[in-house]
């Protein structure tokens, strides 16, 4: 399905803030995603790791994690990210009579993600694998990077003490101390 | 700028380089030790999984950094080279910091099996492989293993491994105690008639050398040690070398090339430091940059007398790059076997290093290091469990403390075409041509991997696992954190790069002292062997180059 440059730009503008509106990398607010872009990631992340007694990955800050990393370590994946999200929106529109992912029902959203995982949409494999990986990073990695809010996953796995390290459990001083 | 001459320049302050600098400085040589990285203190990245030397999705805590380094890696899919950054898996990284790999390693401190030095004699030719015997035997290296165990500091139980070669002296420290998982696994192995024992670790089980004993936190591999109880070269031999007053350590000093004189002998080393190109003249040059960066430096050191690079008259530099075809299995237990104490890898056995029917070599097998939460969620689940959704989340939550892994560093068959070259068209931050790496694995590695994975599943089942699944290494590429073999030692200059003592054939005063010189890579983690070899090479340099 051919798209013009203008269409692509318009589609992207719905999800990613223009450069001049992006904030500093370590600000707690979003600096990369628009509110709709963040919403999209939150929904997908909550499908990948859904809420139960413990929050889902979207609720635990996946969008904030990705927002921060796309301005930091994953800066050079920006093009891939833009192209991937653009294809994602286009394919959704094509499949669901012009509707966007955000307006699908939760079941339709799940079904669409499921079709990518089953290999029915090869064009979205790359971006989906990337979002999947980033979501796991956000949920299980250290909260300092923007995800895993309130150490949700570490609480779930009951490893908060392990992640704090030996000195926390044994009362021994950490080597080198604080600097 | 041309600096005052010294006796020796050692390039690379990792496992091998740290040891040689110490041996030379202690013998009164004036040494300059160049390290491209810097010292990485524990608190800098702590236990941050996403920036460790285990998962580098947000960068390598122990270097190198993405902004200064790049490599060309040949894609196994397309056959073409593509650019890879250090934090990407395909880069084939070890580390770039004071201590090299030993600052963040898991600290298993293995002696190779005697047969690992005589693979060709033990098994005969393997089709397509450059398999060969080492020019030295286990017995030649034994005194140096002992020296490494005492100078670096290894805890372990002498005599507990019935397959180990002759050992003259017990370990300097008693073994670390089994945690819950290791105790269960040891009992399971005994049920099978196998011979489990506590893994020898370069970790203080008791206070030693002014540093603490292990406080049983499980974050050993991929991190610094919060108690400084883990022993690498950065907290043992390197500070001792500096303390002699004979060794000048320069960090963030990047060697560009080895300089040669009109006679073709090494005259010193050119390196970048604080934005300037320096020339350090020396009587002896020791290269210890790891099995990828050492051939890169030699190949980048071209001159009239050495048009193909230093020591490369016969095109052997950079060949035979090896790693380990790690394979094993995971098991899901009924009850929680994870107790959160470390070091997490605690029990091993050597029943399958050799003597496996139809297979060349084998591997030591050990229970796995800590399963970090992100890596667990990404990689550890049986095929029946999807990789996302409610069922996935439930599995991760319920299985995390009930899962154990066993794997082994499967010995690989060396291949002539597995090689490190330099790409003159691609340069790093300093303008130095980068390494271009081509690797794949020999089919035998896959067979050995499957065999070891099946034994791992058997071991887990005997220990109480109700479900197991295998992980067998792919044949797509090798090298990585256990890289070795690219400057093979040997007696014949036509089929090796260095003498049995690590001196370059055809260049009197250049030595290699890192994983590059290993002919084959054993079925064990390599660092203690690299250190032992470096002690041996260091002593030889002292004998041959002491001033009258
Ligand atoms: C996470 C991890 C876990 C590991 N676990 C174990 C284990 O449990 N047991 C075990 O035996 N082994 C383990 N290893 C492997 C072990 O660390 C390596 O085998 C060993 O460090 C290799 O020694 P080397 O001397 O060949 O090179 P390195 O230790 O890599 O040292 C090479 C040094 O040279 C420096 N250098 C390179 N090029 C230049 C240049 N041009 N100028 C200046 N300096 C340069 C590098 O920065 C580096 O510091 C582990 C490694 C890692 C990363």
């Amino acid at each position: 399905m051919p798209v013009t440059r203008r269409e692509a730009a318009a589609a992207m503008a719905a999800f990613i803030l223009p450069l001049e509106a992006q904030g500093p990398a370590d600000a707690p607010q979003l600096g990369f995603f628009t509110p709709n872009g963040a919403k999209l990631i939150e929904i997908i992340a909550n499908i990948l790791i859904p809420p139960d007694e413990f929050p889902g990955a979207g609720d635990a800050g996946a969008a904030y994690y990705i927002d921060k990393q796309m301005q930091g370590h994953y800066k050079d994946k920006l093009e891939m990210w833009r192209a991937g999200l653009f294809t994602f929106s286009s394919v959704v529109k094509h499949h669901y009579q012009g509707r966007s992912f955000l307006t699908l029902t939760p079941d339709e959203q799940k079904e669409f993600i499921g079709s990518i995982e089953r290999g029915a949409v090869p064009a979205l494999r790359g971006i989906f694998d990337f979002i999947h990986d980033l979501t796991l990073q956000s949920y299980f990695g250290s909260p300092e990077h923007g995800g895993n809010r309130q150490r949700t996953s570490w609480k779930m796995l009951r490893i908060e003490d392990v992640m704090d390290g030996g000195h926390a459990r044994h009362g021994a001083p950490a080597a080198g101390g604080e600097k | 700028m041309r600096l005052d001459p010294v006796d020796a320049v050692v390039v690379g302050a990792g496992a091998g380089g740290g040891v040689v600098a110490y041996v030379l400085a202690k013998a009164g040589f004036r040494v300059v030790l160049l390290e491209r990285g810097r010292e990485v203190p524990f608190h800098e990245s702590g236990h941050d999984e996403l920036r460790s030397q285990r998962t580098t999705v947000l960068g390598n805590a122990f270097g190198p950094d993405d902004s200064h380094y790049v490599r060309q890696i040949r894609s196994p899919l397309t056959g073409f080279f593509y650019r890879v950054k250090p934090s990407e898996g395909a880069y084939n990284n070890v580390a770039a910091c004071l201590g090299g790999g030993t600052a963040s390693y898991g600290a298993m401190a293995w002696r190779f099996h005697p047969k690992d030095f005589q693979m060709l004699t033990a098994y005969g030719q393997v089709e397509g492989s450059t398999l060969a015997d080492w020019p030295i035997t286990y017995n030649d290296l034994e005194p140096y293993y002992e020296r490494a165990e005492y100078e670096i500091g290894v805890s372990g139980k002498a005599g507990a491994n019935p397959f180990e070669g002759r050992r003259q002296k017990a370990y300097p420290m008693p073994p670390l105690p089994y945690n819950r998982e290791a105790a269960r696994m040891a009992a399971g192995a005994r049920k099978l008639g196998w011979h489990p024992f506590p893994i020898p670790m370069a970790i203080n089980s008791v206070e030693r050398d002014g540093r603490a004993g292990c406080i049983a936190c499980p974050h050993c591999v991929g991190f610094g040690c919060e108690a400084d109880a883990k022993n690498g070269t950065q907290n043992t031999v390197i500070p001792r070398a500096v303390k002699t007053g004979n060794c000048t350590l320069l960090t963030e000093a990047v060697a560009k090339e080895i300089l040669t004189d009109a006679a073709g002998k090494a005259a010193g080393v050119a390196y970048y430091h604080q934005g300037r190109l320096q020339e350090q003249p020396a009587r002896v040059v020791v290269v210890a940059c790891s099995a990828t960066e050492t051939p890169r430096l030699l190949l980048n050191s071209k001159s009239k007398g050495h048009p193909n690079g230093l020591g490369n008259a016969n095109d052997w530099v950079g060949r035979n790059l090896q790693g380990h075809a790690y394979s094993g299995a995971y098991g899901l237990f009924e009850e929680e076997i994870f107790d959160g104490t470390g070091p997490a890898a605690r029990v091993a056995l050597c029943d399958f290093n050799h003597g496996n029917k139809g297979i060349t070599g084998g591997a030591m097998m050990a229970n796995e290091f800590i399963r970090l939460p992100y890596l667990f969620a990404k990689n550890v689940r049986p095929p029946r469990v999807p990789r996302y959704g409610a069922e996935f989340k439930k599995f991760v939550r319920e299985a995390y403390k009930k899962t154990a892994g066993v794997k082994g560093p499967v010995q690989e068959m060396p291949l002539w075409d597995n090689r490190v070259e330099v790409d003159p068209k691609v340069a790093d931050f300093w303008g130095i041509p980068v390494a271009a790496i081509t690797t794949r694995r020999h089919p035998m590695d896959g067979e050995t991997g499957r065999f070891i994975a099946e034994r791992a599943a058997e071991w887990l089942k005997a220990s109480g696992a109700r479900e197991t699944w295998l992980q067998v290494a792919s044949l797509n590429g090798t090298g990585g954190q256990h890289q070795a073999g690219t400057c093979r030692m040997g007696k014949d200059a036509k089929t090796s790069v260095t003498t049995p003592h690590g001196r370059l054939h055809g260049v009197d005063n250049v030595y290699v002292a890192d994983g590059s010189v290993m002919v084959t890579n054993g079925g064990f983690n390599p660092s203690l062997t690299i250190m032992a070899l470096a002690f041996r090479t260091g002593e030889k340099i002292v004998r041959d180059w002491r001033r009258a």
Side-chain angles (χ1 to χ4, degrees), chain B residues 17 21 91-92 108 120 136 146 186 202 255 267 270 274 364 444 463 476 518:
Chain B
Y91 185 85
N92 246 337
M108 289 195 193
L120 186 62
I136 61 171
E146 178 186 306
Q274 297 175 339
M364 170 280 291
M444 175 59 76
S463 309
N476 271 344
M518 293 160 69

Side-chain angles (χ1 to χ4, degrees), chain B residues 221-419:
Chain B
V221 71
F223 304 92
C225 174
E226 62 177 301
D228 205 16
K230 184 167 77 171
N231 306 321
T233 54
Q234 80 288 347
N235 56 3
T236 57
V237 286
I238 293 173
R240 268 174 242 157
V242 171
K243 219 171 145 202
T244 63
N246 297 325
C247 176
T248 305
L249 166 67
L250 288 181
T251 54
E252 299 183 270
V254 179
K256 171 179 176 272
E257 65 181 305
I258 299 161
L259 305 163
T260 46
D261 61 19
K265 279 180 60 163
V269 173
Y271 66 95
Y272 290 98
H273 186 51
Q274 297 175 339
R276 288 168 64 183
L277 185 61
Q278 308 277 22
E279 283 185 17
Q280 177 60 66
R283 293 197 296 140
V284 176
V285 172
V286 181
V287 190
C289 299
S290 84
T292 303
E293 295 297 320
T294 284
R296 176 187 173 208
L297 185 60
L298 293 176
L299 294 172
N300 273 332
S301 303
K302 286 188 179 140
S303 59
K304 230 199 208 143
H306 306 279
N308 302 321
L310 214 53
N312 197 32
N314 293 305
D315 191 25
W316 275 76
V317 169
R319 301 270 184 188
N320 303 303
L321 176 61
Q322 295 152 73
H324 284 127
Y326 261 100
S327 298
Y330 287 101
L332 188 59
F333 290 71
E334 293 291 349
E335 67 295 321
E336 294 186 355
I337 57 164
F338 172 98
D339 66 5
T341 64
R346 292 298 317 119
V347 61
L349 46 85
C350 292
D351 294 63
F352 303 103
N353 278 78
H354 291 282
N356 306 311
K357 214 168 161 240
I359 281 168
T360 304
M364 170 280 291
M365 294 167 63
N367 76 320
E368 211 189 37
F369 280 109
I370 184 174
R371 284 167 296 285
L372 295 162
Y374 159 68
L375 278 181
F376 183 87
K378 190 170 160 70
N379 298 327
V380 183
R381 64 184 183 281
R384 67 178 165 82
V385 176
R387 64 168 181 158
Y388 75 83
E391 196 187 335
F392 161 75
K393 188 179 181 192
K394 184 161 171 270
F395 172 81
V396 173
R397 177 177 172 185
E398 288 176 358
Y400 184 81
K401 290 193 176 183
K402 296 180 176 174
T403 309
V406 166
K407 61 181 180 179
V410 165
Q411 173 141 210
E412 295 179 350
M413 298 299 102
L415 294 173
W416 171 252
D417 288 332
N418 279 359
R419 71 188 293 204

Side-chain angles (χ1 to χ4, degrees), chain B residues 92-117:
Chain B
N92 246 337
N93 191 30
V94 185
C97 63
L98 192 66
T102 73
S104 63
Y105 69 170
M108 289 195 193
W110 292 105
R111 294 177 173 210
F112 279 12
H113 188 285
K115 269 192 189 163
D116 292 337
F117 297 86

Side-chain angles (χ1 to χ4, degrees), chain B residues 12 14-16 35-36 96-97 100-101 105-108 253 255 288-289 481 514-515 525-527:
Chain B
E35 169 53 50
R36 65 180 172 163
C97 63
Y105 69 170
M108 289 195 193
C289 299
Q481 295 179 334
D514 61 17
N525 313 51
S527 66

